[in-house]
Amino acid sequence: MNNNNTKKNRILVIDDEEHILSLLKETLELSGYLCDTALCGQEGLRMLRNKSGYDLLITDIQLPDISGLEILEISGKKYPFLPVIVITGFATIESTKKALRMGAMDYIPKPFTTGTVLSAVHNAIHASFSRIRGRRFRKIVFRSRIMEQVMELVSKIAKTDSTILVTGESGTGKELIARAIHSNSLRSTQPFISVNSGALPEGLLESELFGHVKGAFTGATATNHGRFRVADGGTLFLDEVGNMSPTMQVKLLRVLQDGEFSPVGSSDVLTTDVRLITATNINLEEAMSKNEFREDLYYRLNVIEVHVPPLRHRTDDILPLAEHFLSRQMGLEERDSCVLSSSSASILLSYRWPGNVRELENAMERAWILCENNAILPEDLPGRMLSSLDEPPNIFPSGDGIRLDSLLENIEKHYIINALKQSKGNRTLAARLLGLKRTTLLARVNSLGIAKDTGRN
Ligand SMILES: Nc1ncnc2c1ncn2[C@@H]1O[C@H](COP(=O)(O)OP(=O)(O)OP(=O)(O)O)[C@@H](O)[C@H]1O
Ligand SMILES: [Mg+2]
């Protein structure tokens, strides 16, 4: 069996400055990425052509032969799956915005810190599928009534300019929803810029958001425009807003109240026209009661709240999402197609999904790598999911509402699978354990899609 499920991500960097290339290569390789480099655009394109399997392209905008924008255009047509980050050394704010409009996922202004690079690379690779240009790949998959209601709300609010707070556990799809709001808004032709407020220390976050002038602090060897300016006319998505320091909370409040801000090291007052979408996976009301989050900021941010429910509260979405992630994997590689076996489907349905959709996405990628035949079997799923079968299924009366029919089906499935396991696949015994007639059990096994050989292996 192929156990190579911890594949290293491969990155191609194109930049005409040798020291930048070697700095980036070293930074990326120390963080566990594989990195190839090219000193000009043509060489970079040749490498993309000859060596498939890059997970990310980082390219400078200004190159001696062809521009980074052309590379962006070519790669967008030929490799629509490949996320691109641009390096904007001497680039103007207009060319940075152009790159973002053309589908670059992010930009790194020069000079950069390793922290900025690694956070941009991490975001680009891990959220790449939700961010990849081409709406097809930003598809939001759902079947549950609760998600249908969320999406109805999203389409209603998209066209407005209201500030939106997206709440929900980690991995539920908050950023995907924020992007959907942007791409259905009147600002959709302008940049969508995402900043993870929780990942950056206070000083760095301030200059990321508001920019800095040359000489503002040690290392500020060039002016940085800041994300609020680059996002002007578009949407700024601030993730993990609950982790912002009190000082940053005050600065953010100022932009929301007056549309004004000042770059670090400057007393200039700049204005910006940005639609703000923030997200958090912590409870801001609780943070407010502990004086960790400003009440005035909370009410400014929470003009409209979109709550994305955890996956365990919308079991109807599990199988459509699993199929979606599986078919996406199939689209990436030329290999025989592969289906989800009914026994694996039962496991996915009864698991609690603490990591939500992201965990399911990763599980399906792993299963695709491990799968040897044309079906994903339980052994291709992470071990923790198998042991969850022994726990009672989760029963979760919640404010989001439930689908009683699918919930009851899941519970029934769970008990039948466990009875079959306990009786080592002997159906007469399993039926007796469940107080059912054997024929009733067989009919239920059939209609619930439980694998015929459950318990025998
Ligand atoms: N309904 C969905 N359909 C398709 N893909 C989804 C859906 N929901 C989430 N995903 C995928 O799951 C992954 C996690 O989603 P996303 O990054 O939007 O979650 P998040 O709530 O912002 O997570 P975190 O709290 O960790 O920042 C992404 O790759 C995204 O594309
Ligand atoms: Mg997120």
Side-chain angles (χ1 to χ4, degrees):
M1 180 180 290
N2 174 11
N3 271 325
N4 180 24
N5 59 333
T6 48
K7 180 185 134 236
K8 280 191 174 189
N9 289 300
R10 182 178 288 280
I11 302 173
L12 174 64
V13 187
I14 313 177
D15 198 303
D16 56 328
E17 288 178 79
E18 251 171 278
H19 71 281
I20 298 270
L21 277 188
S22 50
L23 177 69
L24 282 173
K25 187 172 168 67
E26 191 185 324
T27 307
L28 293 170
E29 288 185 344
L30 279 175
S31 296
Y33 298 103
L34 297 172
C35 179
D36 292 336
T37 56
L39 267 167
C40 67
Q42 294 294 2
E43 187 189 346
L45 287 175
R46 208 167 26 250
M47 290 173 76
L48 278 180
R49 255 196 320 272
N50 295 343
K51 195 173 194 171
S52 60
Y54 284 111
D55 299 291
L56 175 68
L57 169 66
I58 304 180
T59 178
D60 195 357
I61 288 200
Q62 263 160 0
L63 292 166
D65 50 353
I66 49 172
S67 84
L69 294 180
E70 277 174 76
I71 297 185
L72 193 56
E73 195 179 344
I74 296 170
S75 75
K77 284 191 191 130
K78 291 198 173 156
Y79 318 101
F81 283 103
L82 181 68
V84 183
I85 294 178
V86 290
I87 304 177
T88 57
F90 301 96
T92 59
I93 195 159
E94 279 69 34
S95 55
T96 309
K97 288 178 86 159
K98 187 160 183 206
L100 291 164
R101 277 200 296 266
M102 286 171 63
M105 297 193 32
D106 206 347
Y107 68 95
I108 304 175
K110 263 193 229 172
F112 44 74
T113 60
T114 52
T116 324
V117 172
L118 291 177
S119 126
V121 167
H122 181 270
N123 288 342
I125 288 184
H126 291 277
S128 61
F129 285 111
S130 61
R131 294 172 163 197
I132 286 171
R133 59 196 101 165
R135 283 159 199 247
R136 193 153 71 87
F137 303 111
R138 287 211 202 115
K139 193 167 145 191
I140 300 184
V141 175
F142 62 93
R143 189 188 287 156
S144 64
R145 179 69 196 126
I146 319 173
M147 274 309 279
E148 200 177 306
Q149 286 163 345
V150 171
M151 296 312 293
E152 277 164 13
L153 176 64
V154 163
S155 64
K156 256 190 225 151
I157 59 181
K159 295 275 185 281
T160 70
D161 246 351
S162 314
T163 304
I164 290 169
L165 175 67
V166 190
T167 58
E169 290 179 11
S170 179
T172 43
K174 297 186 293 298
E175 180 153 357
L176 198 60
I177 295 280
R179 284 180 182 274
I181 295 174
H182 172 75
S183 46
N184 288 295
S185 77
L186 303 174
R187 296 170 175 263
S188 61
T189 56
Q190 298 296 320
F192 174 96
I193 295 207
S194 160
V195 181
N196 186 341
S197 341
L200 298 170
E202 181 180 316
L204 201 54
L205 179 62
E206 184 176 358
S207 96
E208 276 287 309
L209 291 180
F210 307 122
H212 61 246
V213 292
K214 190 172 168 182
F217 47 84
T218 327
T221 51
T223 297
N224 175 348
H225 297 301
R227 311 251 156 182
F228 265 105
R229 270 190 79 188
V230 177
D232 193 31
T235 305
L236 185 72
F237 174 62
L238 274 183
D239 204 356
E240 292 190 37
V241 74
N243 298 334
M244 264 192 180
S245 72
T247 324
M248 281 307 293
Q249 290 181 31
V250 174
K251 298 196 177 193
L252 186 60
L253 187 61
R254 182 179 170 210
V255 196
L256 283 165
Q257 277 171 343
D258 312 318
E260 290 178 351
F261 65 95
S262 299
V264 180
S266 160
S267 53
D268 289 353
V269 175
L270 305 178
T271 53
T272 181
D273 162 32
V274 160
R275 184 205 205 155
L276 194 66
I277 304 182
T278 56
T280 178
N281 54 26
I282 66 167
N283 185 332
L284 289 184
E285 275 151 1
E286 212 172 287
M288 265 190 315
S289 69
K290 290 195 234 149
N291 283 333
E292 287 165 5
F293 202 82
R294 293 181 68 101
E295 208 171 322
D296 43 9
L297 179 59
Y298 173 75
Y299 290 109
R300 285 269 172 188
L301 296 179
N302 191 5
V303 178
I304 299 171
E305 178 178 341
V306 177
H307 177 67
V308 193
L311 191 54
R312 63 184 174 282
H313 289 191
R314 42 178 168 122
T315 39
D316 282 357
D317 291 343
I318 296 175
L319 295 184
L321 278 164
E323 303 281 355
H324 165 71
F325 293 134
L326 197 57
S327 57
R328 200 182 58 196
Q329 287 298 329
M330 289 192 252
L332 288 177
E333 271 173 63
E334 277 186 26
R335 221 174 87 178
D336 286 349
S337 62
C338 184
V339 296
L340 195 61
S341 70
S342 56
S343 43
S344 299
S346 311
I347 291 170
L348 299 184
L349 282 171
S350 40
Y351 182 60
R352 278 188 66 83
W353 299 107
N356 294 297
V357 184
R358 181 176 297 109
E359 187 181 7
L360 175 57
E361 186 175 21
N362 293 339
M364 294 318 291
E365 182 178 340
R366 176 185 189 275
W368 164 254
I369 293 169
L370 295 183
C371 162
E372 284 193 325
N373 303 306
N374 291 344
I376 305 264
L377 302 176
E379 69 207 54
D380 301 324
L381 297 173
R384 62 180 184 281
M385 291 180 190
L386 308 185
S387 57
S388 79
L389 269 183
D390 302 327
E391 296 163 15
N394 70 88
I395 298 176
F396 42 78
S398 79
D400 300 318
I402 53 169
R403 285 288 299 267
L404 193 60
D405 48 357
S406 62
L407 179 68
L408 292 178
E409 266 193 7
N410 281 343
I411 295 175
E412 190 179 355
K413 215 167 194 176
H414 171 84
Y415 279 105
I416 294 180
I417 289 172
N418 274 335
L420 285 167
K421 280 168 75 176
Q422 214 171 316
S423 64
K424 304 219 164 12
N426 180 326
R427 281 114 182 255
T428 311
L429 193 57
R432 201 174 307 143
L433 285 171
L434 294 166
L436 295 176
K437 280 205 260 172
R438 186 173 184 278
T439 44
T440 313
L441 175 69
L442 294 185
R444 297 308 290 148
V445 164
N446 215 5
S447 71
L448 291 169
I450 298 171
K452 301 264 182 300
D453 58 353
T454 304
R456 289 198 198 133
N457 38 30

